[in-house]
Amino acid sequence: MRIIRDRDGIVGALDRGDASKLISPNPDAVEAIVFPTNIDQLCEILSGTEYKNNARRISGAQTGLTGGCVPRLGQDRIKEVLIRLDDLLTIPSIPGYETKIAKDIGDGKRRITYATNGEVFILPAGANLHDRTEILAREGRMFPIHPTSQDATVGGTVTTNATGLEGAFGSTRDWTELLGIYSAKGRFA
């Protein structure tokens, strides 16, 4: 798991803002930026003691246009821990589904696991839309929703119920059959 704690690293990561072009007005509002790579690490961040006194803001690829992932120091002056899910590229095994590894995706440096039963495909939240398109094409499938940013993550499109520019095929919710939801203690719901 990658963690940025030093002020220069945090300032550098926040200076780019998100697609809304909003920049955090106060980088001191952030205690750390963490990049979990699996569910266990994410659960530790959410329920562990290291950041128990910090607010936590979950973020994906920061392609949204509303500035929702831009940290601000609140009235309570509690520093945030920004949790970036774009490195969350693995899924646990799921009964009834074959887990596969997609190697050489995108830049060739990322290794993504996904599951399928031949009809339904389960992709990790951090996989971006380039990854999704490539994985489904390898399986002879496609996904008709095309949000404006191909850098958006699967988790982000589900969270925002993205439709894309055309909207002719409905929204992401119309094509989502199953969500893997974990409690902070790591229980699958």
Side-chain angles (χ1 to χ4, degrees):
M1 172 169 44
R2 198 164 43 111
I3 301 174
I4 302 172
R5 286 193 175 97
D6 65 284
R7 188 172 194 291
D8 289 342
I10 289 171
V11 168
L14 295 178
D15 271 352
R16 70 183 191 104
D18 69 355
S20 70
K21 304 296 186 226
L22 292 174
I23 304 294
S24 179
N26 186 354
D28 292 327
V30 179
E31 180 78 22
I33 301 174
V34 294
F35 298 81
T37 59
N38 60 53
I39 297 296
D40 292 337
Q41 291 173 353
L42 177 60
C43 291
E44 176 58 31
I45 295 163
L46 293 175
S47 65
T49 58
E50 184 172 1
Y51 300 112
K52 71 178 182 181
N53 295 322
N54 298 100
R56 295 162 184 97
R57 182 182 302 264
I58 295 179
S59 168
Q62 299 182 335
T63 60
L65 300 174
T66 62
C69 69
V70 178
R72 298 161 193 77
L73 195 57
Q75 291 178 332
D76 53 10
R77 310 296 290 176
I78 295 175
K79 287 190 172 189
E80 291 187 1
V81 173
L82 186 60
I83 305 167
R84 292 283 307 271
L85 296 185
D86 42 340
D87 283 353
L88 190 60
L89 300 174
T90 61
I91 59 170
S93 62
I94 300 167
Y97 291 82
E98 177 187 0
T99 300
K100 296 185 175 188
I101 299 172
K103 296 179 182 175
D104 303 324
I105 292 291
D107 58 13
K109 298 176 185 171
R110 297 159 37 109
R111 182 175 172 204
I112 300 172
T113 63
Y114 66 101
T116 183
N117 66 3
E119 293 298 318
V120 175
F121 292 83
I122 301 172
L123 301 169
N128 66 36
L129 301 189
H130 293 292
D131 301 333
R132 182 200 65 196
T133 300
E134 193 169 330
I135 288 168
L136 292 178
R138 290 179 182 185
E139 297 279 349
R141 306 281 192 208
M142 56 86 72
F143 188 77
I145 307 298
H146 299 287
T148 53
S149 173
Q150 290 299 299
D151 292 326
T153 60
V154 170
T157 59
V158 170
T159 302
T160 61
N161 193 30
T163 60
L165 293 175
E166 305 96 24
F169 295 102
S171 64
T172 300
R173 132 177 10 136
D174 300 321
W175 296 89
T176 302
E177 185 169 314
L178 173 72
L179 290 176
I181 300 173
Y182 288 84
S183 71
K185 296 188 184 221
R187 292 193 196 104
F188 182 74

